[in-house]
Amino acid sequence: MRHGKKVNHLGRKTAHRKAMLANMACSLIEHKRINTTVAKAKALKGFVEPMITKSKTDTTHNRRIVMARLRQKDAVTELFRDVAVKVGDRPGGYTRIIKLGNRLGDNADMAMIELVDYNEIYNAGKAKKTKTTRRSRRGGAAKASAPAVATKATKEEE
């Protein structure tokens, strides 16, 4: 039984899997979007999002942690310099996975994973959201609207 084992091994040994995810993360940071299988995209999302969160606070310690996992100096530099500035106000959810269909050769489910803030097509129609506070669902708006409907119905009956 595999209770509590959440990591997808992707059919690879640990060292191969870590190296592959590091290379894919560097490619994602460099090109802002890559095409891969759905399983690899989901594994990459869990790998790269904590590093983007660490890049938001530019300290030597965070740079060393990210460098230990990415293993490419250029990718770390771009992550801390460019990507962190663009996603600075976003509270998580830095990547988007879009399913593309099946691959011709082996019918594998394909997906495109991209950094959310770098897609101008999806973000063109949406204005920047201002931070709002959450409101209770039990508020008086529902109670106030019920009598208004009743008074409207009584006016139509007259």
Side-chain angles (χ1 to χ4, degrees), residues 13-29:
K13 303 279 186 190
T14 304
H16 185 187
R17 185 174 59 251
K18 286 182 179 177
M20 182 191 66
L21 288 174
N23 287 334
M24 289 174 65
C26 292
S27 296
L28 180 65
I29 291 166

Side-chain angles (χ1 to χ4, degrees), residues 4 12 20 23 46 49-50 72 147 150 157:
R12 289 159 172 83
M20 182 191 66
N23 287 334
E49 289 206 0
Q72 288 186 19
E157 292 172 354

Side-chain angles (χ1 to χ4, degrees), residues 32-50:
K32 310 305 184 243
R33 76 172 51 127
I34 57 173
N35 290 338
T36 183
T37 62
V38 173
K40 287 181 189 172
K42 288 179 180 179
L44 180 62
K45 184 173 190 147
F47 182 85
V48 79
E49 289 206 0

Side-chain angles (χ1 to χ4, degrees), residues 17-145:
R17 185 174 59 251
K18 286 182 179 177
M20 182 191 66
L21 288 174
N23 287 334
M24 289 174 65
C26 292
S27 296
L28 180 65
I29 291 166
E30 181 184 351
H31 299 291
K32 310 305 184 243
R33 76 172 51 127
I34 57 173
N35 290 338
T36 183
T37 62
V38 173
K40 287 181 189 172
K42 288 179 180 179
L44 180 62
K45 184 173 190 147
F47 182 85
V48 79
E49 289 206 0
M51 287 189 285
I52 296 173
T53 303
K54 287 194 186 317
S55 73
K56 289 164 75 171
T57 55
D58 190 3
T59 62
T60 306
H61 182 63
N62 284 344
R63 278 184 181 265
R64 286 178 178 165
I65 291 172
V66 172
M67 183 65 191
R69 298 196 69 191
L70 284 186
R71 307 174 193 162
Q72 288 186 19
K73 191 174 183 180
D74 297 334
V76 174
T77 304
E78 185 169 352
L79 177 65
F80 277 85
R81 188 182 58 224
D82 301 331
V83 177
V85 172
K86 196 143 187 178
V87 300
D89 57 341
R90 182 177 292 277
Y94 310 111
T95 57
R96 176 186 296 128
I97 297 175
I98 301 171
K99 294 184 179 175
L100 299 175
N102 295 341
R103 188 162 51 196
L104 286 177
D106 59 355
N107 210 30
D109 289 333
M110 296 300 289
M112 177 176 63
I113 183 168
E114 64 183 0
L115 295 175
V116 172
D117 290 319
Y118 284 91
N119 188 338
E120 291 81 22
I121 297 169
Y122 270 57
N123 299 336
K126 300 173 186 164
K128 283 227 172 199
K129 281 178 66 177
T130 58
K131 291 198 174 193
T132 58
T133 58
R134 292 189 175 202
R135 296 191 180 135
S136 173
R137 292 179 184 227
R138 297 175 291 162
K143 293 177 186 174
S145 63

